[in-house]
Amino acid sequence: MTMHPILRLIAGTMVLISLLLTYFVHENFVWFTVFIAINLIQSSFTLWCPMITFLKRLGIKE
């Protein structure tokens, strides 16, 4: 698997986890979902995502 499918998998998983935490644990976990959304929007404009930097350091191929 290459970097961009892994990145989409991680983003989708994090959104689902944050929504489950919001529903089952506490409603303030919705802010985790907001943070993920803001990061995705930011990366679309700047073309830089912190997770890509992390995945590159792990040796994942582009």
Side-chain angles (χ1 to χ4, degrees):
M1 201 181 261
T2 59
M3 183 159 325
H4 291 288
I6 292 173
L7 184 63
R8 289 184 187 102
L9 176 66
I10 291 170
T13 303
M14 295 303 287
V15 168
L16 285 176
I17 289 171
S18 66
L19 290 174
L20 289 171
L21 287 170
T22 300
Y23 186 77
F24 289 111
V25 178
H26 196 274
E27 68 256 3
N28 281 339
F29 275 107
V30 74
W31 293 108
F32 185 41
T33 311
V34 171
F35 170 76
I36 295 167
I38 289 171
N39 189 0
L40 289 169
I41 293 167
Q42 172 273 141
S43 69
S44 72
F45 287 108
T46 63
L47 302 178
W48 178 78
C49 177
M51 185 56 74
I52 287 178
T53 304
F54 180 70
L55 291 173
K56 282 181 182 178
R57 289 185 181 172
L58 288 177
I60 303 296
K61 296 179 185 178
E62 288 207 43

